[in-house]
Amino acid sequence: MKKTIKKLIRMLTMAMLLSACAKTNYPGGDVSPYVGIYDVRTLYKDHPITLTAESLGGSSQITGWVISDHRGGNLPDGLLIVQDKRRLDFQRGIAIPIGSAATDYLPGDSVVIDVLGAKLERVDGILQLTGIGTDKIMRVANGLPTPARLVTIDQILQRPNDYESTLVAIVKGGFNPMPQPGETLGGIRTINDGFGNLSIETDASAAFAGQTLYKMANYFGVIFNHVSDSGTLVPYHKPRRKEDIVPLLSEYAVPKVIISGFASDPRGTDANNEYIQLLVTEDIDFSVTPFSLVTTNNANASTPTGFPANGWATGGVRTYKFNLNTGIARKGTYFYVGGTNKRINSTNSTVIAEANWITSYAYNTNPGFDYGNATTNLLANSGNASGIAVFEGTDVTKESVPVDVIFVGTGGSLFNGSNIGYRITNTDWYDIINPVDMKEQPFYRAGTNVKALTYHTPSDAGYFYMLGGEYNLSLGRWTKARTQGSFLMTKETQLAEIEGETATKLMENE
């Protein structure tokens, strides 16, 4: 009897295991006829594959909206380009060669496509679904919005397969090298958005090939790939029509002074030991061409409370002003503004008096130049936002626009939504006019002006904010945007270490 029971238990256990292995769907669930383009693309493993019901998990169709537009004559002939966000909100696209019928479809058309029996293969560098006739494509709607995905060039370079056959928007793009007068768009050119370089290809036969080149613009279009000799994907950008290239209205002037780093929380007391490092893009005699530097600290208890009615000129415990009106800084060199102790990392650390201190001032015992209470902390170590702004001249009011500005943190009463806040300027991080919708946004936290550094933890560790980045004088723009570099100093750190290879650099094309 016991043997019989054990045998029955083993048989039941085996049956349950087999049943569990066979189940791939929830009981009563139906397989959707639609499969995401993301899932289709993942089936390609460097060799052609024919799509079957089995490989598609029982599905047979893709859906999506058309992004190709052949009216401008610049997309690969015969390709219908469709994208969707069906899988986990991942935007993916695919190219479908259908010959001259591709011109019958416009951006915003919604389509359903039967893909069973189609071949997934890479043709001319582009992953395509071949063998699909127009009889397998059903248009179900038109005129739908087709928003472009806002991306930076480094994202495309890092994941070219993910962005292939999708509609993207690259903002604040400039040509590298700078075009000569009279040059036009036709051919292969390189654009830079501050995060990398990417080829933009315009066929000689395109309707807009003769368009003149803008100094800075937004570039909408479709990403495609070439395959290099080594087998890697090399992305390039194809604008579809003249309207895909939108010149920017903002003026991006060369800043004479750039914020390149700062020590806001040295190891030990902050009082009279904080400092800001700056880089000059031309020779400056500050006795002839004076500047100002203003810091802001926005703790909830800082007075005056509420939104800064006078912006950078609010004063009190909110903003502190330094005048820079003596000394000389040579093009491409660093200078410093801060306390009078002139030590790299607070008490008992390396003395850096040999640095070019344009203004050293005992801010812990003296009020600021024109406004700002004496303070032991120019910049906060945690909590609400703090920031630095540089101005040409020493008359800084609520209307003054800085030549460079940067913020740490996002909290506090910073911008009231209309006309009270801390003004920004056009930099690698901020834009006075929104580069996407062209609306004015002259304050920090307005529109797209939300980027900020984060506070270092733990506090009192002695971090130097090493901002890096490259400003190209020949192009008049940032070709490598600043990022947060966290350099942990010791008491023995030397000046050369914060002015080294990872510091902000000034570049010029030969």
Short mmCIF file of all heavy atoms in Angstrom, two decimals, residues 267-330:
data_model
loop_
_atom_site.label_atom_id
_atom_site.label_comp_id
_atom_site.label_asym_id
_atom_site.label_seq_id
_atom_site.Cartn_x
_atom_site.Cartn_y
_atom_site.Cartn_z
N ARG A 267 37.23 70.18 3.52
CA ARG A 267 37.26 69.35 4.72
C ARG A 267 37.76 70.18 5.90
O ARG A 267 38.94 70.51 6.02
CB ARG A 267 38.17 68.13 4.52
CG ARG A 267 37.93 67.06 5.58
CD ARG A 267 38.64 65.77 5.23
NE ARG A 267 40.07 65.86 5.45
CZ ARG A 267 40.94 64.95 5.02
NH1 ARG A 267 40.52 63.91 4.32
NH2 ARG A 267 42.23 65.08 5.26
N GLY A 268 36.82 70.51 6.77
CA GLY A 268 37.11 71.41 7.88
C GLY A 268 36.14 72.58 7.81
O GLY A 268 35.07 72.50 7.20
N THR A 269 36.51 73.69 8.41
CA THR A 269 35.61 74.84 8.41
C THR A 269 35.49 75.43 7.00
O THR A 269 36.47 75.54 6.26
CB THR A 269 36.11 75.92 9.39
OG1 THR A 269 35.22 77.04 9.31
CG2 THR A 269 37.52 76.39 9.06
N ASP A 270 34.25 75.81 6.66
CA ASP A 270 34.02 76.45 5.35
C ASP A 270 34.31 77.94 5.40
O ASP A 270 34.63 78.55 4.37
CB ASP A 270 32.57 76.24 4.92
CG ASP A 270 32.25 74.79 4.60
OD1 ASP A 270 33.17 73.94 4.67
OD2 ASP A 270 31.09 74.49 4.28
N ALA A 271 34.19 78.53 6.57
CA ALA A 271 34.30 79.98 6.70
C ALA A 271 35.65 80.47 6.17
O ALA A 271 36.71 80.06 6.65
CB ALA A 271 34.14 80.38 8.16
N ASN A 272 35.58 81.31 5.15
CA ASN A 272 36.76 81.93 4.54
C ASN A 272 37.63 80.93 3.78
O ASN A 272 38.76 81.24 3.42
CB ASN A 272 37.61 82.67 5.59
CG ASN A 272 38.29 83.89 5.02
OD1 ASN A 272 37.80 84.49 4.05
ND2 ASN A 272 39.41 84.27 5.59
N ASN A 273 37.10 79.72 3.52
CA ASN A 273 37.88 78.69 2.81
C ASN A 273 37.24 78.22 1.51
O ASN A 273 37.83 77.43 0.78
CB ASN A 273 38.08 77.47 3.72
CG ASN A 273 39.13 77.72 4.78
OD1 ASN A 273 40.27 78.06 4.47
ND2 ASN A 273 38.74 77.57 6.04
N GLU A 274 36.02 78.70 1.21
CA GLU A 274 35.39 78.32 -0.05
C GLU A 274 35.96 79.17 -1.19
O GLU A 274 36.37 80.33 -0.98
CB GLU A 274 33.88 78.53 0.03
CG GLU A 274 33.19 77.62 1.04
CD GLU A 274 31.71 77.94 1.15
OE1 GLU A 274 31.01 77.80 0.12
OE2 GLU A 274 31.27 78.34 2.24
N TYR A 275 35.96 78.59 -2.40
CA TYR A 275 36.47 79.34 -3.55
C TYR A 275 35.88 78.80 -4.84
O TYR A 275 35.41 77.67 -4.91
CB TYR A 275 38.00 79.31 -3.61
CG TYR A 275 38.61 77.93 -3.67
CD1 TYR A 275 38.86 77.30 -4.89
CD2 TYR A 275 38.96 77.25 -2.49
CE1 TYR A 275 39.43 76.03 -4.94
CE2 TYR A 275 39.52 75.98 -2.53
CZ TYR A 275 39.76 75.38 -3.76
OH TYR A 275 40.31 74.12 -3.81
N ILE A 276 35.90 79.65 -5.86
CA ILE A 276 35.40 79.31 -7.19
C ILE A 276 36.54 79.45 -8.19
O ILE A 276 37.30 80.43 -8.15
CB ILE A 276 34.22 80.22 -7.60
CG1 ILE A 276 33.04 80.01 -6.65
CG2 ILE A 276 33.79 79.94 -9.03
CD1 ILE A 276 32.90 81.06 -5.59
N GLN A 277 36.67 78.44 -9.06
CA GLN A 277 37.68 78.46 -10.13
C GLN A 277 37.00 78.89 -11.43
O GLN A 277 35.91 78.41 -11.77
CB GLN A 277 38.28 77.07 -10.30
CG GLN A 277 39.33 76.95 -11.38
CD GLN A 277 39.60 75.51 -11.75
OE1 GLN A 277 38.78 74.86 -12.41
NE2 GLN A 277 40.74 74.98 -11.29
N LEU A 278 37.64 79.80 -12.17
CA LEU A 278 37.07 80.29 -13.42
C LEU A 278 38.12 80.28 -14.52
O LEU A 278 39.33 80.36 -14.25
CB LEU A 278 36.50 81.70 -13.24
CG LEU A 278 35.45 81.79 -12.11
CD1 LEU A 278 36.00 82.60 -10.94
CD2 LEU A 278 34.15 82.39 -12.61
N LEU A 279 37.66 80.19 -15.77
CA LEU A 279 38.52 80.12 -16.94
C LEU A 279 38.19 81.30 -17.85
O LEU A 279 37.01 81.62 -18.06
CB LEU A 279 38.27 78.80 -17.67
CG LEU A 279 38.97 78.55 -19.00
CD1 LEU A 279 40.48 78.39 -18.79
CD2 LEU A 279 38.40 77.30 -19.67
N VAL A 280 39.21 81.96 -18.42
CA VAL A 280 38.96 83.10 -19.30
C VAL A 280 39.20 82.71 -20.75
O VAL A 280 40.12 81.94 -21.06
CB VAL A 280 39.82 84.32 -18.92
CG1 VAL A 280 39.37 84.90 -17.60
CG2 VAL A 280 41.30 83.98 -18.86
N THR A 281 38.38 83.24 -21.65
CA THR A 281 38.48 82.92 -23.07
C THR A 281 39.24 84.00 -23.85
O THR A 281 39.41 83.88 -25.05
CB THR A 281 37.09 82.75 -23.69
OG1 THR A 281 36.38 83.99 -23.59
CG2 THR A 281 36.30 81.65 -22.96
N GLU A 282 39.67 85.05 -23.16
CA GLU A 282 40.49 86.11 -23.76
C GLU A 282 41.26 86.79 -22.64
O GLU A 282 40.94 86.63 -21.45
CB GLU A 282 39.63 87.12 -24.50
CG GLU A 282 38.64 87.86 -23.63
CD GLU A 282 37.80 88.87 -24.40
OE1 GLU A 282 37.15 88.48 -25.39
OE2 GLU A 282 37.81 90.06 -24.00
N ASP A 283 42.28 87.54 -22.99
CA ASP A 283 43.02 88.31 -21.98
C ASP A 283 42.07 89.33 -21.35
O ASP A 283 41.35 90.05 -22.07
CB ASP A 283 44.19 89.05 -22.60
CG ASP A 283 45.30 88.11 -23.06
OD1 ASP A 283 45.26 86.92 -22.72
OD2 ASP A 283 46.21 88.58 -23.78
N ILE A 284 42.07 89.41 -20.01
CA ILE A 284 41.22 90.38 -19.33
C ILE A 284 42.04 91.14 -18.29
O ILE A 284 42.67 90.54 -17.42
CB ILE A 284 40.03 89.70 -18.62
CG1 ILE A 284 39.14 88.96 -19.62
CG2 ILE A 284 39.20 90.75 -17.86
CD1 ILE A 284 37.97 88.22 -18.98
N ASP A 285 42.02 92.44 -18.38
CA ASP A 285 42.55 93.32 -17.34
C ASP A 285 41.33 93.81 -16.56
O ASP A 285 40.55 94.64 -17.05
CB ASP A 285 43.31 94.50 -17.96
CG ASP A 285 43.91 95.43 -16.92
OD1 ASP A 285 43.47 95.39 -15.75
OD2 ASP A 285 44.81 96.22 -17.27
N PHE A 286 41.12 93.27 -15.37
CA PHE A 286 39.90 93.54 -14.63
C PHE A 286 39.80 94.99 -14.15
O PHE A 286 38.71 95.44 -13.82
CB PHE A 286 39.79 92.58 -13.45
CG PHE A 286 39.49 91.16 -13.87
CD1 PHE A 286 40.51 90.24 -14.03
CD2 PHE A 286 38.19 90.76 -14.14
CE1 PHE A 286 40.25 88.94 -14.42
CE2 PHE A 286 37.90 89.46 -14.54
CZ PHE A 286 38.94 88.54 -14.69
N SER A 287 40.92 95.71 -14.13
CA SER A 287 40.85 97.13 -13.77
C SER A 287 40.25 97.95 -14.91
O SER A 287 39.73 99.04 -14.68
CB SER A 287 42.24 97.65 -13.42
OG SER A 287 43.09 97.66 -14.56
N VAL A 288 40.31 97.40 -16.12
CA VAL A 288 39.75 98.07 -17.29
C VAL A 288 38.36 97.50 -17.62
O VAL A 288 37.43 98.24 -17.96
CB VAL A 288 40.69 97.91 -18.51
CG1 VAL A 288 40.07 98.53 -19.75
CG2 VAL A 288 42.05 98.53 -18.22
N THR A 289 38.25 96.18 -17.52
CA THR A 289 36.98 95.49 -17.80
C THR A 289 36.56 94.71 -16.56
O THR A 289 36.86 93.52 -16.41
CB THR A 289 37.13 94.53 -19.00
OG1 THR A 289 37.70 95.22 -20.10
CG2 THR A 289 35.78 93.95 -19.41
N PRO A 290 35.92 95.36 -15.61
CA PRO A 290 35.55 94.68 -14.36
C PRO A 290 34.40 93.69 -14.55
O PRO A 290 33.59 93.82 -15.47
CB PRO A 290 35.14 95.82 -13.44
CG PRO A 290 34.68 96.90 -14.36
CD PRO A 290 35.53 96.78 -15.60
N PHE A 291 34.35 92.71 -13.67
CA PHE A 291 33.29 91.71 -13.64
C PHE A 291 32.76 91.61 -12.21
O PHE A 291 33.33 92.19 -11.28
CB PHE A 291 33.80 90.35 -14.10
CG PHE A 291 33.93 90.19 -15.58
CD1 PHE A 291 34.94 90.84 -16.29
CD2 PHE A 291 33.03 89.40 -16.30
CE1 PHE A 291 35.05 90.71 -17.67
CE2 PHE A 291 33.14 89.26 -17.67
CZ PHE A 291 34.15 89.91 -18.36
N SER A 292 31.69 90.85 -12.05
CA SER A 292 31.13 90.53 -10.73
C SER A 292 30.87 89.04 -10.67
O SER A 292 30.61 88.40 -11.69
CB SER A 292 29.82 91.27 -10.48
OG SER A 292 29.94 92.65 -10.69
N LEU A 293 30.94 88.49 -9.47
CA LEU A 293 30.54 87.12 -9.22
C LEU A 293 29.58 87.12 -8.05
O LEU A 293 29.86 87.71 -7.01
CB LEU A 293 31.75 86.24 -8.93
CG LEU A 293 31.48 84.74 -8.75
CD1 LEU A 293 32.66 83.92 -9.27
CD2 LEU A 293 31.19 84.36 -7.31
N VAL A 294 28.43 86.47 -8.24
CA VAL A 294 27.39 86.43 -7.20
C VAL A 294 27.06 84.98 -6.88
O VAL A 294 26.89 84.15 -7.79
CB VAL A 294 26.12 87.17 -7.65
CG1 VAL A 294 25.07 87.18 -6.53
CG2 VAL A 294 26.44 88.60 -8.09
N THR A 295 26.99 84.67 -5.60
CA THR A 295 26.56 83.34 -5.17
C THR A 295 25.17 83.45 -4.55
O THR A 295 24.77 84.51 -4.06
CB THR A 295 27.53 82.73 -4.14
OG1 THR A 295 27.56 83.58 -2.98
CG2 THR A 295 28.93 82.61 -4.72
N THR A 296 24.44 82.34 -4.56
CA THR A 296 23.13 82.33 -3.92
C THR A 296 22.98 81.07 -3.07
O THR A 296 23.46 80.00 -3.44
CB THR A 296 21.97 82.40 -4.94
OG1 THR A 296 20.72 82.36 -4.24
CG2 THR A 296 22.01 81.25 -5.93
N ASN A 297 22.31 81.23 -1.93
CA ASN A 297 22.08 80.15 -0.98
C ASN A 297 20.60 80.23 -0.59
O ASN A 297 20.16 81.26 -0.09
CB ASN A 297 22.98 80.34 0.24
CG ASN A 297 23.12 79.08 1.06
OD1 ASN A 297 22.22 78.25 1.09
ND2 ASN A 297 24.25 78.95 1.75
N ASN A 298 19.84 79.17 -0.81
CA ASN A 298 18.38 79.26 -0.71
C ASN A 298 17.76 78.37 0.35
O ASN A 298 16.68 77.80 0.14
CB ASN A 298 17.78 78.96 -2.08
CG ASN A 298 18.13 80.02 -3.10
OD1 ASN A 298 17.50 81.05 -3.18
ND2 ASN A 298 19.17 79.75 -3.89
N ALA A 299 18.42 78.24 1.48
CA ALA A 299 17.81 77.51 2.60
C ALA A 299 16.48 78.15 2.96
O ALA A 299 16.29 79.37 2.79
CB ALA A 299 18.75 77.51 3.80
N ASN A 300 15.54 77.36 3.47
CA ASN A 300 14.20 77.89 3.76
C ASN A 300 14.23 79.05 4.74
O ASN A 300 13.37 79.95 4.70
CB ASN A 300 13.31 76.78 4.30
CG ASN A 300 12.92 75.78 3.22
OD1 ASN A 300 12.79 76.14 2.06
ND2 ASN A 300 12.71 74.52 3.62
N ALA A 301 15.21 79.05 5.64
CA ALA A 301 15.28 80.11 6.65
C ALA A 301 16.08 81.33 6.18
O ALA A 301 16.15 82.33 6.88
CB ALA A 301 15.92 79.56 7.93
N SER A 302 16.67 81.25 4.98
CA SER A 302 17.48 82.37 4.49
C SER A 302 16.57 83.56 4.20
O SER A 302 15.52 83.43 3.58
CB SER A 302 18.23 81.97 3.22
OG SER A 302 19.19 80.98 3.50
N THR A 303 17.01 84.73 4.65
CA THR A 303 16.22 85.94 4.45
C THR A 303 16.85 86.81 3.37
O THR A 303 18.08 86.83 3.23
CB THR A 303 16.14 86.73 5.77
OG1 THR A 303 17.46 86.97 6.25
CG2 THR A 303 15.34 85.98 6.80
N PRO A 304 16.04 87.55 2.63
CA PRO A 304 14.57 87.53 2.67
C PRO A 304 14.02 86.22 2.13
O PRO A 304 14.57 85.63 1.21
CB PRO A 304 14.18 88.71 1.76
CG PRO A 304 15.34 88.89 0.85
CD PRO A 304 16.55 88.51 1.62
N THR A 305 12.93 85.75 2.74
CA THR A 305 12.34 84.47 2.36
C THR A 305 11.47 84.66 1.12
O THR A 305 11.25 85.78 0.65
CB THR A 305 11.49 83.91 3.50
OG1 THR A 305 10.47 84.87 3.84
CG2 THR A 305 12.35 83.64 4.73
N GLY A 306 10.98 83.56 0.61
CA GLY A 306 10.13 83.61 -0.57
C GLY A 306 10.95 83.68 -1.84
O GLY A 306 12.17 83.47 -1.84
N PHE A 307 10.30 84.01 -2.94
CA PHE A 307 10.99 84.10 -4.22
C PHE A 307 11.90 85.32 -4.22
O PHE A 307 11.56 86.36 -3.61
CB PHE A 307 9.97 84.18 -5.36
CG PHE A 307 9.13 82.96 -5.50
CD1 PHE A 307 7.79 82.98 -5.14
CD2 PHE A 307 9.67 81.77 -5.94
CE1 PHE A 307 7.00 81.85 -5.24
CE2 PHE A 307 8.89 80.62 -6.05
CZ PHE A 307 7.56 80.66 -5.69
N PRO A 308 13.06 85.24 -4.89
CA PRO A 308 14.03 86.34 -4.84
C PRO A 308 13.55 87.53 -5.67
O PRO A 308 13.73 87.58 -6.89
CB PRO A 308 15.29 85.71 -5.44
CG PRO A 308 14.78 84.63 -6.36
CD PRO A 308 13.54 84.09 -5.69
N ALA A 309 12.94 88.51 -5.01
CA ALA A 309 12.31 89.64 -5.70
C ALA A 309 13.26 90.38 -6.61
O ALA A 309 12.88 90.89 -7.66
CB ALA A 309 11.68 90.59 -4.68
N ASN A 310 14.53 90.46 -6.21
CA ASN A 310 15.52 91.17 -7.01
C ASN A 310 16.54 90.23 -7.64
O ASN A 310 17.65 90.63 -7.97
CB ASN A 310 16.24 92.22 -6.16
CG ASN A 310 15.33 93.40 -5.85
OD1 ASN A 310 14.69 93.95 -6.75
ND2 ASN A 310 15.23 93.75 -4.58
N GLY A 311 16.14 88.97 -7.81
CA GLY A 311 17.02 88.03 -8.49
C GLY A 311 18.36 87.90 -7.83
O GLY A 311 18.47 87.78 -6.59
N TRP A 312 19.40 87.96 -8.64
CA TRP A 312 20.76 87.85 -8.10
C TRP A 312 21.12 89.02 -7.19
O TRP A 312 22.06 88.92 -6.39
CB TRP A 312 21.77 87.75 -9.24
CG TRP A 312 21.67 86.47 -10.01
CD1 TRP A 312 21.07 86.26 -11.21
CD2 TRP A 312 22.20 85.19 -9.61
NE1 TRP A 312 21.17 84.94 -11.58
CE2 TRP A 312 21.87 84.26 -10.63
CE3 TRP A 312 22.92 84.74 -8.50
CZ2 TRP A 312 22.23 82.91 -10.57
CZ3 TRP A 312 23.28 83.40 -8.44
CH2 TRP A 312 22.94 82.50 -9.45
N ALA A 313 20.40 90.12 -7.29
CA ALA A 313 20.68 91.30 -6.47
C ALA A 313 19.85 91.33 -5.19
O ALA A 313 19.76 92.36 -4.53
CB ALA A 313 20.43 92.57 -7.28
N THR A 314 19.26 90.21 -4.80
CA THR A 314 18.37 90.16 -3.63
C THR A 314 19.12 90.47 -2.34
O THR A 314 18.60 91.13 -1.43
CB THR A 314 17.68 88.79 -3.54
OG1 THR A 314 16.82 88.63 -4.67
CG2 THR A 314 16.89 88.65 -2.25
N GLY A 315 20.35 90.01 -2.19
CA GLY A 315 21.14 90.31 -1.01
C GLY A 315 20.68 89.57 0.23
O GLY A 315 20.09 88.48 0.15
N GLY A 316 20.93 90.16 1.41
CA GLY A 316 20.60 89.50 2.67
C GLY A 316 21.41 88.22 2.80
O GLY A 316 22.62 88.20 2.57
N VAL A 317 20.72 87.13 3.19
CA VAL A 317 21.38 85.83 3.29
C VAL A 317 21.20 85.03 2.00
O VAL A 317 21.71 83.93 1.87
CB VAL A 317 20.82 85.05 4.51
CG1 VAL A 317 21.58 83.76 4.75
CG2 VAL A 317 20.88 85.92 5.77
N ARG A 318 20.48 85.61 1.03
CA ARG A 318 20.18 84.89 -0.20
C ARG A 318 21.29 85.00 -1.25
O ARG A 318 21.61 84.01 -1.92
CB ARG A 318 18.86 85.41 -0.81
CG ARG A 318 17.64 85.19 0.06
CD ARG A 318 17.29 83.73 0.23
NE ARG A 318 16.83 83.10 -1.00
CZ ARG A 318 15.60 83.15 -1.47
NH1 ARG A 318 14.66 83.84 -0.81
NH2 ARG A 318 15.27 82.52 -2.58
N THR A 319 21.85 86.20 -1.45
CA THR A 319 22.90 86.35 -2.46
C THR A 319 24.06 87.17 -1.91
O THR A 319 23.86 88.08 -1.10
CB THR A 319 22.36 87.02 -3.75
OG1 THR A 319 21.97 88.36 -3.47
CG2 THR A 319 21.19 86.25 -4.33
N TYR A 320 25.25 86.84 -2.38
CA TYR A 320 26.47 87.51 -1.91
C TYR A 320 27.30 87.88 -3.15
O TYR A 320 27.55 87.04 -4.01
CB TYR A 320 27.27 86.59 -0.99
CG TYR A 320 28.40 87.27 -0.25
CD1 TYR A 320 28.21 87.76 1.03
CD2 TYR A 320 29.65 87.41 -0.84
CE1 TYR A 320 29.24 88.38 1.72
CE2 TYR A 320 30.69 88.03 -0.17
CZ TYR A 320 30.48 88.52 1.11
OH TYR A 320 31.52 89.14 1.80
N LYS A 321 27.74 89.13 -3.19
CA LYS A 321 28.40 89.67 -4.40
C LYS A 321 29.88 89.99 -4.16
O LYS A 321 30.25 90.58 -3.15
CB LYS A 321 27.67 90.94 -4.85
CG LYS A 321 28.24 91.61 -6.11
CD LYS A 321 27.28 92.71 -6.58
CE LYS A 321 27.80 93.43 -7.80
NZ LYS A 321 28.74 94.51 -7.45
N PHE A 322 30.70 89.56 -5.13
CA PHE A 322 32.11 89.92 -5.20
C PHE A 322 32.32 90.81 -6.43
O PHE A 322 31.79 90.51 -7.51
CB PHE A 322 33.01 88.69 -5.39
CG PHE A 322 33.04 87.74 -4.23
CD1 PHE A 322 32.12 86.70 -4.14
CD2 PHE A 322 34.02 87.84 -3.24
CE1 PHE A 322 32.16 85.79 -3.10
CE2 PHE A 322 34.06 86.94 -2.19
CZ PHE A 322 33.13 85.91 -2.11
N ASN A 323 33.08 91.86 -6.28
CA ASN A 323 33.52 92.64 -7.43
C ASN A 323 34.90 92.17 -7.86
O ASN A 323 35.77 91.91 -7.01
CB ASN A 323 33.55 94.13 -7.12
CG ASN A 323 32.17 94.74 -7.07
OD1 ASN A 323 31.19 94.10 -7.45
ND2 ASN A 323 32.08 95.98 -6.60
N LEU A 324 35.11 92.07 -9.15
CA LEU A 324 36.39 91.65 -9.72
C LEU A 324 36.92 92.82 -10.53
O LEU A 324 36.58 92.99 -11.71
CB LEU A 324 36.20 90.42 -10.64
CG LEU A 324 35.95 89.04 -10.01
CD1 LEU A 324 34.76 89.01 -9.07
CD2 LEU A 324 35.77 88.01 -11.10
N ASN A 325 37.71 93.69 -9.89
CA ASN A 325 38.12 94.93 -10.56
C ASN A 325 39.61 95.22 -10.44
O ASN A 325 40.05 96.35 -10.67
CB ASN A 325 37.30 96.12 -10.04
CG ASN A 325 37.28 96.20 -8.52
OD1 ASN A 325 38.14 95.61 -7.85
ND2 ASN A 325 36.31 96.92 -7.97
N THR A 326 40.39 94.20 -10.10
CA THR A 326 41.85 94.33 -10.12
C THR A 326 42.45 93.04 -10.67
O THR A 326 41.81 91.98 -10.64
CB THR A 326 42.43 94.59 -8.72
OG1 THR A 326 42.12 93.48 -7.87
CG2 THR A 326 41.89 95.89 -8.11
N GLY A 327 43.67 93.12 -11.16
CA GLY A 327 44.37 91.94 -11.62
C GLY A 327 44.15 91.65 -13.10
O GLY A 327 43.29 92.24 -13.76
N ILE A 328 44.93 90.69 -13.60
CA ILE A 328 44.91 90.32 -15.02
C ILE A 328 44.84 88.80 -15.12
O ILE A 328 45.50 88.08 -14.36
CB ILE A 328 46.16 90.84 -15.75
CG1 ILE A 328 46.17 92.37 -15.78
CG2 ILE A 328 46.25 90.28 -17.16
CD1 ILE A 328 47.46 92.97 -16.32
N ALA A 329 44.05 88.30 -16.07
CA ALA A 329 44.00 86.86 -16.37
C ALA A 329 44.21 86.69 -17.87
O ALA A 329 43.60 87.40 -18.67
CB ALA A 329 42.67 86.26 -15.95
N ARG A 330 45.10 85.76 -18.22
CA ARG A 330 45.44 85.54 -19.62
C ARG A 330 44.55 84.46 -20.23
O ARG A 330 44.12 83.52 -19.56
CB ARG A 330 46.90 85.13 -19.76
CG ARG A 330 47.90 86.18 -19.26
CD ARG A 330 47.80 87.47 -20.04
NE ARG A 330 48.76 88.48 -19.58
CZ ARG A 330 48.75 89.75 -19.99
NH1 ARG A 330 47.84 90.16 -20.87
NH2 ARG A 330 49.66 90.59 -19.54
#
